[in-house]
Amino acid sequence: MADTKDKGIALPALVALVVSSAIGAGIFDLPATLAQGATPGAAILAWVITGFGILMLALSLNHLVLTKPELTGVSDYARAGFGDFAGFISGWGYWLSAWLGNVAFATMLMSALGYFFPPLKSGNSVSAIIVASIVSWALTLLVTHGIESAAAINTIVTVTKLVPIFAFVVIAFLSMKAGVFTAHFWQNMTTNVQGQLVFSSATGAGIFAQVKGCVMAMMWVFVGIEGATMMASRAKKKSDAGKATIIGLVSLLIIYMVVSILHYGYLSLEQLRGMQHPALLYLFESMTGRLGGAFISVGLIISILGAWLSWTMLPVEATSLMAEQRLLPKWFGTLNKYRAPQHSLLLTQILIQIFLITLLFTDQAYNFAYSLCTASIVVCYVLVGAYELKLGIGSKKWSVILPGLITVVFEVAAIVFSGLQYLWLCTILYVLGFVLYYRARKEDGKQVTKSEYVMMGIVLLLAVAAVIALATGSLKI
């Protein structure tokens, strides 16, 4: 199998896809998100732990791209390692994650536009939902006219949206005050009954609690790191997908750590916790004035549009790959004259539209969407790590065993500590996919096995329990 092709996505565009997929809305609210639960020292420690865990995932993906070039996408790795049903679970989770991430982008985009047009600021007003719907359909139309051309546009968008982030870094660095940064560097922080922030001497348990509180937000901003791997089949050189993942990860980690730590030296923790959202916008406004706020707001809008474009490509790529692997009905893999999976695009967009309408009835749309997105993709990451671990044990190579093992342990621990209830909610959406998996089996002339029925039954029971818990109020969104 040749590793190169005349047409396809080049390495710079793949790196841009990784960076743009990950840098969306989350980075612009990191200062306030982390300040809600962590002092500077704990936040830095959380970045080191999260960055190391994601690095192991990136190394696993890189190794799989290089050694298993016949496989494409996270669902294919799970299928090769643990069977068709595992491949379906991984691919379906990835698809859910991608379009739920788009819903999160939609709410934050409206908040950014609300800086200029106040009626949109809530993110879930009728006018905001209408504008978000128009944007979502427009991006879908763009991708239907060719994924490779959309990736080229995404490269330009990535460069453009990094400019305001770097501007923030420069101004924040110049505005830092050493005394503010070190005031509560390692202390424990709690909120008393009056809502006041209380500090105490640091303890191991207290630092651990702070680190745990940061993990979900940090994992959210790394979702998309697998973007190049998902598009490997469309790359000029398939090996570039692994390179792009590593380069993208290192770039992202540096950017995230700098952006999310500098603010601790500008305002006190009490002030940071009271910042409006998205925090980066209002931090920059306080440093530079109204014009600076407008500058960051424009950057946020471009950033979200770039990530939204990336994540419009990724979910349909996942479903079309699953159709090729006979894990979904062939209908999902139907390509138009531009080589874009038009049926999958249309279905995904319809579901996004339905979910956008439901946002009219909640004031926690962004947090809920990104938490559900992160929880569902953890399943995919665990299976990637497990397959790498399996290959490592088979080859008896510690250089392969360790990245896979650490990936599995990190991803499982992260979701258990920070968002197990969201993973529970995901079982409801998995049940809906079982019908499609059953149909795909029939199309391929195969039967659903007894063990697969058992696993479906377990997931169904969990889903029913989740619905009951939601109805009784014991599980809250």
Side-chain angles (χ1 to χ4, degrees):
M1 179 177 176
D3 190 47
T4 61
K5 59 182 78 172
D6 293 334
K7 293 183 179 180
I9 306 174
L11 177 60
L14 287 171
V15 173
L17 182 64
V18 171
V19 173
S20 188
S21 298
I23 294 183
I27 188 173
F28 288 87
D29 211 36
L30 271 178
T33 303
L34 298 189
Q36 292 296 319
T39 53
I44 293 173
L45 181 58
W47 275 123
V48 171
I49 294 171
T50 304
F52 182 71
I54 299 297
L55 175 61
M56 294 301 104
L57 171 65
L59 290 175
S60 297
L61 288 169
N62 183 52
H63 177 258
L64 293 174
V65 167
L66 294 176
T67 59
K68 298 291 180 180
E70 71 277 12
L71 304 178
T72 302
V74 292
S75 61
D76 218 6
Y77 297 143
R79 184 181 62 85
F82 308 103
D84 287 344
F85 190 69
F88 168 77
I89 290 292
S90 178
W92 188 256
Y94 187 83
W95 178 70
L96 290 175
S97 174
W99 68 261
L100 284 167
N102 285 344
V103 175
F105 292 148
T107 58
M108 187 61 80
L109 177 62
M110 293 306 101
S111 296
L113 288 172
Y115 191 79
F116 305 105
F117 309 103
L120 304 178
K121 192 170 186 178
S122 68
N124 66 338
S125 63
V126 173
S127 57
I129 298 302
I130 291 174
V131 174
S133 299
I134 292 172
V135 173
S136 186
W137 281 100
L139 290 174
T140 296
L141 181 62
L142 175 62
V143 176
T144 59
H145 282 72
I147 287 180
E148 281 86 357
S149 60
I153 294 172
N154 184 62
T155 303
I156 300 171
V157 171
T158 301
V159 174
T160 304
K161 74 181 184 179
L162 288 176
V163 172
I165 293 176
F166 289 143
F168 171 82
V169 169
V170 172
I171 298 300
F173 180 77
L174 294 175
S175 304
M176 280 189 69
K177 307 162 190 172
V180 174
F181 186 75
T182 58
H184 303 290
F185 192 82
W186 279 116
Q187 288 184 296
N188 297 329
M189 53 185 291
T190 57
T191 304
N192 64 17
V193 291
Q194 283 80 34
Q196 299 296 314
L197 197 60
V198 178
F199 296 96
S200 59
S201 298
T203 63
I207 297 299
F208 175 77
Q210 292 183 60
V211 170
K212 186 173 72 170
C214 297
V215 170
M216 181 62 88
M218 290 181 175
M219 289 181 65
W220 158 239
V221 296
F222 278 114
V223 171
I225 194 69
E226 73 297 325
T229 304
M230 291 302 298
M231 303 296 286
S233 63
R234 296 177 182 269
K236 285 186 176 180
K237 295 175 62 179
K238 197 163 186 179
S239 59
D240 282 348
K243 296 176 185 176
T245 302
I246 300 296
I247 295 170
L249 169 65
V250 174
S251 303
L252 286 168
L253 186 58
I254 293 171
I255 294 169
Y256 288 152
M257 288 192 70
V258 172
V259 169
S260 65
I261 297 300
L262 286 178
H263 66 280
Y264 282 108
Y266 177 65
L267 296 177
S268 67
L269 277 167
E270 291 89 344
Q271 292 172 312
L272 288 170
R273 285 164 62 95
M275 289 293 297
Q276 296 185 65
H277 303 278
L280 208 68
L281 190 163
Y282 293 100
L283 274 170
F284 201 69
E285 182 186 56
S286 70
M287 295 173 185
T288 61
R290 180 75 179 176
L291 185 61
F295 176 65
I296 291 292
S297 187
V298 170
L300 174 55
I301 292 168
I302 295 173
S303 178
I304 294 175
L305 287 174
W308 200 342
L309 174 60
S310 296
W311 283 34
T312 301
M313 293 186 281
L314 294 177
V316 296
E317 190 70 7
T319 52
S320 61
L321 287 172
M322 290 173 70
E324 290 178 14
Q325 298 155 11
R326 304 292 190 268
L327 303 178
L328 282 178
K330 296 177 183 177
W331 183 87
F332 282 89
T334 303
L335 303 180
N336 62 15
K337 63 180 181 180
Y338 302 106
R339 295 182 63 235
Q342 58 183 10
H343 290 165
S344 185
L345 275 165
L346 179 61
L347 176 62
T348 302
Q349 178 53 41
I350 290 172
L351 290 172
I352 290 173
Q353 183 63 70
I354 293 171
F355 211 99
L356 283 173
I357 293 172
T358 66
L359 298 185
L360 292 168
F361 308 103
T362 177
D363 59 355
Q364 295 294 325
Y366 176 71
N367 289 342
F368 176 65
Y370 92 66
S371 296
L372 206 59
C373 163
T374 306
S376 58
I377 206 168
V378 162
V379 177
C380 312
Y381 292 164
V382 168
L383 287 170
V384 167
Y387 183 43
E388 176 79 347
L389 176 59
K390 181 179 179 179
L391 293 177
I393 293 174
S395 63
K396 298 180 180 179
K397 293 182 179 179
W398 282 102
S399 61
V400 180
I401 291 174
L402 286 178
L405 177 61
I406 294 172
T407 296
V408 171
V409 172
F410 169 75
E411 297 291 341
V412 170
I415 198 64
V416 168
F417 289 145
S418 61
L420 197 57
Q421 71 273 23
Y422 296 106
L423 189 59
W424 189 16
L425 285 171
C426 287
T427 59
I428 300 172
L429 299 173
Y430 268 105
V431 169
L432 301 177
F434 291 158
V435 177
L436 296 173
Y437 179 72
Y438 177 81
R439 182 177 174 184
R441 296 282 85 185
K442 290 192 67 176
E443 277 188 5
D444 201 30
K446 296 180 180 179
Q447 298 292 324
V448 176
T449 66
K450 290 183 179 179
S451 60
E452 290 174 347
Y453 274 125
V454 170
M455 288 184 281
M456 286 183 186
I458 294 172
V459 174
L460 177 60
L461 289 175
L462 289 171
V464 171
V467 171
I468 294 173
L470 283 171
T472 58
S474 57
L475 178 61
K476 298 186 182 297
I477 296 177

